[in-house]
Amino acid sequence: MTGINHHPMRTAIILCCILLAAVVNAQSPTDTRYLDSLLKVFNHARSDSEKIRAAVQISSYWVYTDTVKAMAILDKVAPLSDGHPYYEGLITSVRANASVFTDDFENARQRLMAAEKIFEKINTPAAYGQRARLWYNYATIEQRKGHDKDFLRIILERCIPYGEKSQENGLLPQYFSAVGVAFMNEREYDKAIQYQQKAIDKYRQEGLKDDFIIWNYLRIANCYLYKNEPAKAKKNLDIVSAMPESREERAYTAHYYTVYASYYGAMKQYEAALQAIDAGMKAARHLNQAHRYSELLYRKYGLLKDMKRYREAKSILDTLAQDKSFIGHEKNQLTLKKEMAETMASLGDYRSAYELMMAHKQQNDSVNNQAVRKQVEEMEIQYRNAEHEKKIALLESEQKEAAAKANSQRLFNWLLSAAASLLLVLAGFSWLFYRNQKKLSAQEEVNYRQQVKAMQHQQQLLSTEAMLEGAERERRRMARELHDGLGGLLSGIRIKLSGITAPGEEVLKIIPQVDNAVTEVRRIAHNMMPETLTRFGVETALQELCESLQTPQTAIHFEAFDLQKDIPVAAQLVIYRIVQEALSNALRYAAAKNILVQCSQNQHMFFITVEDDGKGFDPKKPQRIGIGLSSMENRARYLNGKLELESQPGAGTTIHAELDLNAKVKEINILQQS
């Protein structure tokens, strides 16, 4: 976009066909590659959650071009979300997007609020991110209906707070941009510039690509043009031109040239403005941005008119008269007739100019008459309401007179009943005092029981902690004795057998068996207390564990996301033992072909998922896995966590663990004890 003289026009176009920013993003080759990558993930997903997430992204891509396809792919994965509230809410929220795009606002509101009821019960960063998005769509509905203040209120009170809790990149700068656009529409340009700059700073802080930042710089430049400060507008345009992304054809390219056209128009550099408009029209045509193309065409007409090139200006008006996206709004039709009349007059064709002005007046009168009729209807309603209020006031006056006569009689009756009421009140207070005392005693009993229960729970945690620490010490001792004692003894036997000068056939057979015994002893010692865990951390230890347990019959896949290096050693050992026990159970009993181990970390929370495609079982029936599951649950409680198991015959088994790395545990580094 650099290297060419650009630009614009002195007046704002009167186009009334306003669409959401996301809608005008055309399908560029980059978008096609993005869709292809999503379809590849969807078709080869290794878990239900991965398939649902891919379907949601594909649906969000298709919703602006083919809502039927967008809904169809959600229908495919909807059964997979049963029993998973987060994914149920996610699918419901994405369905609402289609309703917003097709102007089915009532249905969209219902779906968005249904999703909100689901997400408000889930206090996770991901759920807060989805709540921020659905409230942004709700705000968009209010904006589309002309409720700009409600739009701004929802963004400030809902979207931004939820976006902060989600800690998700890209949300807050998007909402800062939306607030800036809202202020720009209200002609509060200083506030608009402030929020657009906040969006730019946040985008850069989060390390997001310059495509997002460019939109904000273009809006700031527009604000300065509206404030009649072209020098500051040019400064922001120069920043955009220096970015490498500005040289490629993107969704913002046509708008980039539009702003440049406005700048050159403000500077009276009409030829440069025409060049910018032509470049913008070319980009809008390539990107299928029909509304942007019409806007630029109208701007070009204005420039040609200012330059007194009336025949070229008339040719553009003729083109706009055939543009359905432009003449689809009645105000644009009126504007077109008025501009055509002025252009014909400038060309000396006063008869055509007169006819066009009369057609404009007739249509304008029709529009105004409709507005007048609406005002008359509103005034008639107000008149009827006023008459109705007069009748109500008369009835109220009559009622007051009747009430005054009845008051004296009621006063006597009231005094008579006051004494009896006083006695009843005293009796009531006595009863309430007795009841409150009884409730207080009951509450004290409940508090005492809760304290006893808390003490028992604390004692259970201490017992579990002592049991786990004792077990790990015993593992360490046995591993050392196996490795140094039995392993050394076998190695000595191996050396003596190898030193026989003339070994017989039996001795030669025994030597490989001794080698196997030494290897097995070392493997057992390593599994009881892996050295990799203490030297390289839990991620490397788990990777090595998965590789060591993998067999030709069972493939084990390990995935780690955002694991930190500063996890306490005691916590790393708990994580390792849970995964080790889960894999042991899967290999022993599941007869699985594939096992997926996923570990992820979000600040102080650590998540483990072990999923296999084996034969599964009924968790309600006693199983051999029961002892191993109990061990994993005890270790999870050691870190104030929880463990869930999902399985059914023939459908595999999934184990989820959620651990708190900030749990107050006794930091005894068992692995480093001698």
Side-chain angles (χ1 to χ4, degrees):
M1 284 184 266
T2 57
I4 187 172
N5 292 328
H6 319 299
H7 190 140
M9 182 164 176
R10 55 175 175 76
T11 57
I13 191 166
I14 314 176
L15 277 173
C16 298
C17 302
I18 303 174
L19 299 176
L20 292 172
V23 177
V24 302
N25 291 337
Q27 295 184 22
S28 66
T30 302
D31 295 328
T32 303
R33 290 193 295 270
Y34 170 70
L35 177 61
D36 291 341
S37 66
L38 289 178
L39 290 171
K40 185 176 180 180
V41 172
F42 177 79
N43 293 326
H44 298 88
R46 291 184 292 182
S47 64
D48 291 346
S49 58
E50 185 179 5
K51 199 174 191 70
I52 291 173
R53 288 194 295 268
V56 165
Q57 291 177 288
I58 294 169
S59 178
S60 299
Y61 178 92
W62 275 337
V63 73
Y64 303 116
T65 56
D66 192 333
T67 54
V68 175
K69 291 172 69 175
M71 293 301 98
I73 196 165
L74 291 179
D75 292 339
K76 290 182 179 180
V77 298
L80 302 179
S81 68
D82 292 343
H84 300 280
Y86 174 82
Y87 292 117
E88 290 177 359
L90 180 60
I91 291 175
T92 303
S93 180
V94 176
R95 289 187 189 278
N97 294 347
S99 299
V100 174
F101 184 72
T102 57
D103 294 339
D104 186 2
F105 295 145
E106 187 58 35
N107 194 19
R109 279 197 179 101
Q110 293 177 4
R111 285 175 169 169
L112 289 171
M113 290 303 97
E116 167 68 5
K117 288 183 179 179
I118 295 174
F119 284 128
E120 68 183 3
K121 299 177 183 178
I122 309 174
N123 296 322
T124 63
Y128 283 122
Q130 295 305 326
R131 293 178 75 180
R133 289 184 178 87
L134 69 86
W135 277 110
Y136 184 77
N137 287 335
Y138 198 100
T140 300
I141 294 174
E142 296 299 325
Q143 185 186 49
R144 297 274 293 278
K145 298 188 75 173
H147 304 157
D148 292 333
K149 291 184 178 179
D150 289 333
F151 169 82
L152 191 58
R153 176 180 56 80
I154 292 172
I155 298 297
L156 293 173
E157 295 180 1
R158 297 276 191 171
C159 298
I160 291 178
Y162 289 148
E164 290 174 343
K165 289 184 177 181
S166 75
Q167 302 174 358
E168 181 178 339
N169 286 354
L171 286 184
L172 284 179
Q174 175 188 351
Y175 301 145
F176 291 151
S177 295
V179 173
V181 172
F183 279 127
M184 187 164 61
N185 291 337
E186 295 294 324
R187 300 185 180 181
E188 296 189 33
Y189 301 123
D190 290 332
K191 290 184 179 179
I193 292 170
Q194 176 186 350
Y195 272 92
Q196 296 298 342
Q197 188 61 51
K198 285 181 68 175
I200 291 172
D201 295 341
K202 192 64 177 175
Y203 276 130
R204 285 179 170 163
Q205 178 186 340
E206 294 177 352
L208 297 178
K209 58 183 181 180
D210 287 343
D211 288 49
F212 300 109
I213 297 175
I214 287 174
W215 281 106
N216 299 103
Y217 276 121
L218 293 177
R219 294 187 187 109
I220 292 175
N222 256 335
C223 288
Y224 281 124
L225 289 173
Y226 293 143
K227 292 180 65 178
N228 197 24
E229 298 180 27
K232 292 183 178 180
K234 182 61 165 57
K235 182 178 179 181
N236 285 273
L237 287 171
D238 289 343
I239 293 174
V240 174
S241 299
M243 296 181 182
E245 287 81 6
S246 68
R247 298 175 178 84
E248 302 176 10
E249 193 169 83
R250 304 285 181 91
Y252 49 74
T253 301
H255 184 57
Y256 170 85
Y257 286 116
T258 302
V259 180
Y260 248 119
S262 298
Y263 165 74
Y264 284 128
M267 301 299 293
K268 308 297 184 183
Q269 300 177 19
Y270 296 131
E271 289 296 339
L274 283 175
Q275 292 182 37
I277 288 176
D278 289 339
M281 290 170 60
K282 181 180 178 181
R285 189 183 298 111
H286 288 170
L287 297 170
N288 298 323
Q289 295 176 340
H291 74 288
R292 185 74 70 188
Y293 183 87
S294 300
E295 176 187 351
L296 286 163
L297 194 61
Y298 188 85
R299 285 176 178 268
K300 186 173 184 178
Y301 155 74
L303 281 172
L304 292 171
K305 182 180 176 182
D306 290 344
M307 298 169 70
K308 303 186 185 306
R309 293 162 60 174
Y310 298 117
R311 293 196 180 280
E312 296 176 67
K314 177 182 177 301
S315 176
I316 290 179
L317 291 178
D318 290 337
T319 302
L320 285 172
Q322 306 299 320
D323 187 345
K324 294 181 180 179
S325 66
F326 183 83
I327 63 174
H329 199 281
E330 194 166 26
K331 288 186 178 180
N332 287 348
Q333 296 175 16
L334 287 169
T335 300
L336 195 62
K337 287 185 173 66
K338 179 177 179 297
E339 296 295 336
M340 182 63 83
E342 293 178 359
T343 303
M344 296 305 293
S346 299
L347 289 171
D349 189 350
Y350 299 107
R351 181 178 181 82
S352 297
Y354 173 77
E355 292 174 350
L356 286 167
M357 285 301 298
M358 292 303 296
H360 173 269
K361 181 178 181 303
Q362 184 177 2
Q363 185 175 359
N364 191 46
D365 290 343
S366 175
V367 172
N368 291 334
N369 287 338
Q370 291 178 6
V372 170
R373 282 197 298 272
K374 185 175 180 181
Q375 291 177 353
V376 170
E377 290 174 357
E378 292 176 352
M379 292 177 64
E380 185 177 0
I381 292 172
Q382 293 174 357
Y383 170 75
R384 291 176 181 173
N385 290 339
E387 290 296 315
H388 185 61
E389 289 174 359
K390 288 181 181 179
K391 292 180 181 179
I392 292 175
L394 181 60
L395 290 173
E396 288 178 349
S397 177
E398 294 175 353
Q399 288 175 354
K400 287 179 180 179
E401 292 179 4
K405 294 178 181 179
N407 280 341
S408 58
Q409 182 63 36
R410 283 199 298 268
L411 180 61
F412 175 77
N413 295 337
W414 182 84
L415 290 173
L416 186 63
S417 60
S421 299
L422 181 60
L423 294 174
L424 288 174
V425 168
L426 291 174
F429 274 119
S430 299
W431 179 78
L432 286 174
F433 179 76
Y434 168 76
R435 190 183 68 173
N436 288 338
Q437 285 296 112
K438 189 175 180 179
K439 284 185 176 179
L440 183 60
S441 299
Q443 184 61 41
E444 289 177 350
E445 177 67 19
V446 170
N447 292 341
Y448 172 74
R449 291 179 180 176
Q450 288 178 345
Q451 289 175 359
V452 171
K453 186 176 181 180
M455 292 175 64
Q456 291 174 343
H457 179 67
Q458 183 65 24
Q459 185 62 35
Q460 184 181 6
L461 287 178
L462 291 174
S463 299
T464 300
E465 180 180 345
M467 179 188 69
L468 292 176
E469 290 174 358
E472 292 302 334
R473 289 193 187 96
E474 185 62 18
R475 283 174 179 265
R476 178 68 176 180
R477 185 188 65 79
M478 292 182 64
R480 185 169 59 249
E481 290 184 0
L482 282 172
H483 185 276
D484 299 339
L486 183 56
L489 181 60
L490 290 173
S491 297
I493 293 172
R494 168 68 167 83
I495 293 171
K496 289 181 180 181
L497 290 174
S498 300
I500 297 175
T501 55
E505 183 179 350
E506 291 298 325
V507 172
L508 293 176
K509 291 181 179 179
I510 291 174
I511 291 176
Q513 294 176 1
V514 173
D515 290 338
N516 293 336
V518 171
T519 301
E520 184 64 16
V521 166
R522 289 177 178 173
R523 185 189 66 79
I524 294 172
H526 179 271
N527 285 340
M528 295 184 72
M529 190 56 61
E531 183 181 356
T532 307
L533 185 64
T534 61
R535 296 182 60 188
F536 303 107
V538 69
E539 182 175 346
T540 304
L542 290 177
Q543 179 71 46
E544 184 179 274
L545 175 64
C546 293
E547 292 174 355
S548 67
L549 295 179
Q550 190 166 238
T551 67
Q553 294 77 26
T554 304
I556 302 177
H557 308 278
F558 175 69
E559 297 178 355
F561 304 98
D562 302 326
L563 301 192
Q564 304 299 318
K565 301 296 185 182
D566 58 350
I567 300 175
V569 176
Q572 292 188 45
L573 189 57
V574 169
I575 294 166
Y576 184 85
R577 293 302 183 203
I578 290 175
V579 175
Q580 186 182 41
E581 184 64 36
L583 288 175
S584 176
N585 288 334
L587 291 169
R588 289 180 185 176
Y589 312 121
K593 294 182 179 179
N594 293 281
I595 301 175
L596 174 63
V597 179
Q598 287 184 335
C599 293
S600 60
Q601 185 177 348
N602 186 354
Q603 294 187 352
H604 64 89
M605 297 305 298
F606 196 95
F607 305 93
I608 302 172
T609 298
V610 180
E611 180 179 343
D612 67 66
D613 59 0
K615 58 187 179 182
F617 64 93
D618 186 353
K620 296 180 181 179
K621 294 182 179 180
Q623 302 284 336
R624 288 175 292 176
I625 197 176
I627 297 176
L629 179 61
S630 176
S631 173
M632 288 187 283
E633 289 175 340
N634 287 336
R635 294 182 185 278
R637 282 197 295 269
Y638 183 70
L639 291 180
N640 287 354
K642 59 182 179 180
L643 187 135
E644 297 177 354
L645 184 143
E646 300 175 4
S647 183
Q648 59 182 0
T653 302
T654 301
I655 294 175
H656 299 283
E658 182 177 331
L659 311 175
D660 185 357
L661 300 180
N662 283 350
K664 187 177 181 181
V665 296
K666 190 175 182 182
E667 292 291 344
I668 297 179
N669 194 342
I670 301 170
L671 294 176
Q672 295 179 355
Q673 289 182 352
S674 60

